Amino acid sequence: LIQKIFMFYGDKVLKKNFDQFYTPLSIGKFMCELCNKNKSVIDPACGTGDLVVYYKENSLITLWDVSKDVIELTKINYNFQNIDADIDNLDSIKHHEKNNGNYDYVFLNPPFGSKTIIQNQDILKNYELGKNEKKQEIGILFIERSINLLKEGGVAFLIVPSGYLGNSNKNAINLRKYLLKHRIISILRLPSNSFSRSGTGVSTYLIII
């Protein structure tokens, strides 16, 4: 119940400000159950931390989010459930080198939508998928950032809109070429109503890479 309350409130805040749609707890639980115990895990766009909350066996949990208000909710959420985590108010796209290569697992449901375009060349130049672009979707940059956070042999669980896998625009094509440089374990289509409680019916996939 506590998790559902925090997810509901955080969803209302981030959907309004950052076009981020919260992942149902059942999907986060599924992802956690695929992971080995006692490993390091990070969510670099964590919201209230619900994507990782079922990975309770591990004290090496790192959670970052750009929203100071939502991070306060995350801290309360984890304190209520007695889960240890390193929780920080951090713009993980801007701080592109922080903790790269440090994690066994990355969980990510990146923000995507009309409010999440980056045009700052000082940021874009640090990303393979941004350095030759005038602008780029923050969701695409988050995918690259997540893979950079992994140790050798680490695994990323990436929730992405269907357009990233099917659109014919240059950015989506370049993203797919980038993903194919890595070992894709699985691409799972999520149920069509997965994000209905967040007010969107967008088709989504889980990429395990």
Side-chain angles (χ1 to χ4, degrees):
L1 177 59
I2 291 171
Q3 288 171 251
K4 290 180 180 179
I5 291 172
F6 283 111
M7 188 175 74
F8 176 80
Y9 181 75
D11 177 46
K12 300 304 179 186
V13 173
L14 286 195
K15 185 171 70 174
K16 178 179 178 181
N17 295 330
F18 301 107
D19 280 354
Q20 177 143 346
F21 301 96
Y22 274 47
T23 314
L25 293 171
S26 57
I27 295 175
K29 185 177 182 181
F30 168 73
M31 292 160 59
C32 289
E33 288 176 345
L34 295 177
C35 298
N36 293 322
K37 297 180 180 180
N38 303 315
K39 301 291 185 179
S40 55
V41 59
I42 184 170
D43 184 341
C46 70
T48 53
D50 296 297
L51 205 58
V52 187
V53 78
Y54 285 103
Y55 199 47
K56 297 179 181 179
E57 296 86 357
N58 191 335
S59 61
L60 299 175
I61 296 173
T62 301
L63 301 171
W64 295 338
D65 201 277
V66 70
S67 169
K68 189 176 296 184
D69 292 337
V70 170
I71 279 295
E72 290 306 311
L73 283 177
T74 308
K75 291 177 180 177
I76 296 170
N77 186 10
Y78 274 62
N79 283 337
F80 264 121
Q81 300 185 72
N82 296 314
I83 303 172
D84 291 327
D86 180 9
I87 302 171
D88 195 9
N89 173 214
L90 181 80
D91 185 339
S92 50
I93 294 297
K94 182 178 180 180
H95 296 278
H96 63 96
E97 292 184 331
K98 184 175 176 65
N99 289 12
N100 279 347
N102 280 7
Y103 298 95
D104 297 294
Y105 298 115
V106 176
F107 289 4
L108 177 72
N109 172 20
F112 54 85
S114 60
K115 298 178 183 177
T116 55
I117 301 295
I118 289 183
Q119 302 182 62
N120 186 335
Q121 293 299 313
D122 289 334
I123 294 176
L124 293 176
K125 68 181 182 182
N126 299 308
Y127 292 89
E128 181 178 337
L129 295 170
K131 62 185 178 182
N132 296 317
E133 306 296 335
K134 293 182 179 180
K135 60 183 180 180
Q136 184 57 278
E137 291 186 40
I138 195 171
I140 288 177
L141 297 182
F142 259 116
I143 290 171
E144 181 178 341
R145 180 72 169 101
S146 295
I147 292 176
N148 290 341
L149 285 165
L150 290 173
K151 295 178 180 178
E152 184 70 25
V155 177
F157 296 83
L158 310 172
I159 295 173
V160 302
S162 60
Y164 284 4
L165 301 181
N167 285 352
S168 59
N169 64 65
K170 183 179 72 170
N171 287 340
I173 291 172
N174 287 341
L175 171 63
R176 294 195 292 272
K177 289 179 179 178
Y178 174 81
L179 291 173
L180 288 171
K181 294 179 182 179
H182 305 276
R183 180 187 172 195
I184 296 176
I185 299 170
S186 183
I187 300 176
L188 306 175
R189 184 172 183 175
L190 297 176
S192 59
N193 63 346
S194 293
F195 292 88
S196 59
R197 293 186 65 180
S198 294
T200 179
V202 64
S203 178
T204 51
Y205 286 79
L206 171 61
I207 301 175
I208 306 174
I209 190 168

